[in-house]
């Protein structure tokens, strides 16, 4: 099986949905987690049908931002166990020896609220002892080389993120392809950062 996690920055236009469809046809994922859908939950049913998935679970946007969505194939054994504005936690093959967890995660982008995201990870860690995969947009760096151009990223912020990953026994799974997952253009030039990643327990 395979999983796609994508901060789509809005599913309200046809071009983005078409791009998502192209990715799904190329990769044939079993599960798709989307952050920043910018949609209310009710609109996800139509997207599920257009993408030809069997099931969906959504968290509605708040005001003009946010929104999460989970899509998975019809005969796939996945159960949503909890959700919030920042996560959708699921158990796969529950009740069997092969049971494990997948959490789609969206860390709050506001630096002063990062502690809320890290406490959410801690609480999720304490819910189950199953093998755990957590992926998404954490909105934080682990190391300084994950940023290109701009002012150095504050060490204390990265350290707090590293600490919660250690507490939860979560290891970065690395990447192939492009190193940076986020870009923003400023008058002084562009900044690249690796804000998205997948982490898991050893098992």
């Amino acid at each position: 099986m395979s999983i796609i996690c994508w901060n789509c920055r809005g599913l309200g236009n046809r071009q983005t949905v078409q791009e998502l469809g192209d990715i799904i046809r190329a990769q044939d994922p079993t599960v798709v987690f989307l952050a920043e859908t910018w949609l209310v939950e009710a609109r996800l049913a139509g997207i599920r049908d257009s993408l030809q998935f069997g099931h969906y679970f959504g968290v509605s946007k708040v005001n003009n931002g946010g929104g999460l969505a989970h899509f998975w194939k019809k005969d796939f054994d996945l159960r949503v166990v909890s959700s919030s504005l920042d996560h959708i936690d699921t158990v796969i093959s529950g009740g069997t020896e092969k049971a494990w967890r997948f959490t789609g995660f969206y860390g709050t982008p506001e630096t002063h609220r990062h502690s809320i995201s890290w406490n959410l990870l801690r609480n999720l860690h304490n819910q189950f002892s199953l093998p755990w995969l957590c992926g998404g947009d954490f909105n934080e760096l682990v190391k300084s080389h994950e940023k290109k151009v701009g002012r150095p990223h504050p060490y204390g912020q990265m350290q707090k993120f590293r600490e919660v990953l250690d507490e939860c026994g979560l290891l970065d799974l690395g990447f192939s392809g492009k190193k940076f997952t986020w870009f923003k253009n400023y008058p002084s030039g562009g900044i690249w950062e690796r804000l998205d990643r997948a982490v898991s327990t050893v098992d």
Side-chain angles (χ1 to χ4, degrees):
M1 66 163 291
S2 63
I3 298 173
I4 288 177
C5 301
W6 187 29
N7 185 332
C8 59
R9 296 179 177 87
L11 275 181
N13 65 77
R14 184 176 299 177
Q15 182 177 351
T16 304
V17 175
Q18 182 177 343
E19 183 178 356
L20 176 61
D22 291 342
I23 295 170
I24 288 170
R25 281 187 290 274
Q27 302 295 329
D28 191 28
T30 308
V31 178
V32 174
F33 168 72
L34 302 175
E36 290 197 62
T37 61
W38 302 350
L39 295 177
V40 294
E41 182 270 339
R43 289 195 57 189
L44 295 174
I47 295 175
R48 172 204 59 195
D49 295 341
S50 68
L51 298 175
Q52 298 182 345
F53 277 94
H55 307 280
Y56 83 97
F57 181 89
V59 177
S60 294
K61 69 172 185 174
V62 175
N63 298 321
N64 294 322
L68 307 176
H70 235 56
F71 300 97
W72 64 99
K73 290 187 174 181
K74 182 178 180 180
D75 297 323
F76 188 65
D77 184 5
L78 180 150
R79 176 173 58 92
V80 175
V81 293
S82 71
S83 65
S84 72
L85 297 176
D86 301 319
H87 86 287
I88 299 176
D89 189 32
T90 69
V91 171
I92 295 168
S93 299
T96 73
E97 294 181 355
K98 296 181 179 180
W100 58 286
R101 299 171 72 188
F102 168 63
T103 303
F105 194 84
Y106 179 67
T108 179
E110 296 90 355
T111 301
H112 67 280
R113 300 181 69 241
H114 277 184
S115 61
I116 297 174
S117 295
W118 309 154
N119 286 334
L120 172 59
L121 274 179
R122 291 184 178 97
N123 290 335
L124 290 169
H125 167 63
N126 292 329
Q127 297 300 312
F128 297 97
S129 57
L130 295 173
W132 187 21
L133 171 66
C134 184
D137 182 352
F138 290 83
N139 272 308
E140 186 53 87
L141 310 181
V142 171
K143 296 182 179 179
S144 58
H145 64 72
E146 295 179 344
K147 180 177 183 179
K148 179 181 178 182
V149 188
R151 291 182 294 180
H153 201 72
Y155 176 84
Q157 287 179 214
M158 296 185 291
Q159 181 61 22
K160 289 178 181 178
F161 186 29
R162 290 193 293 262
E163 287 173 356
V164 71
L165 292 178
D166 288 343
E167 288 177 38
C168 296
L170 293 169
L171 305 175
D172 194 306
L173 296 182
F175 66 95
S176 62
K178 296 179 180 180
K179 178 176 181 177
F180 303 105
T181 66
W182 177 87
F183 169 79
K184 188 166 185 178
N185 198 17
Y186 293 94
S188 58
I191 293 177
W192 292 260
E193 294 182 333
R194 186 185 177 213
L195 302 180
D196 308 76
R197 68 188 71 240
V199 296
S200 79
T201 53
V202 172
D203 47 1

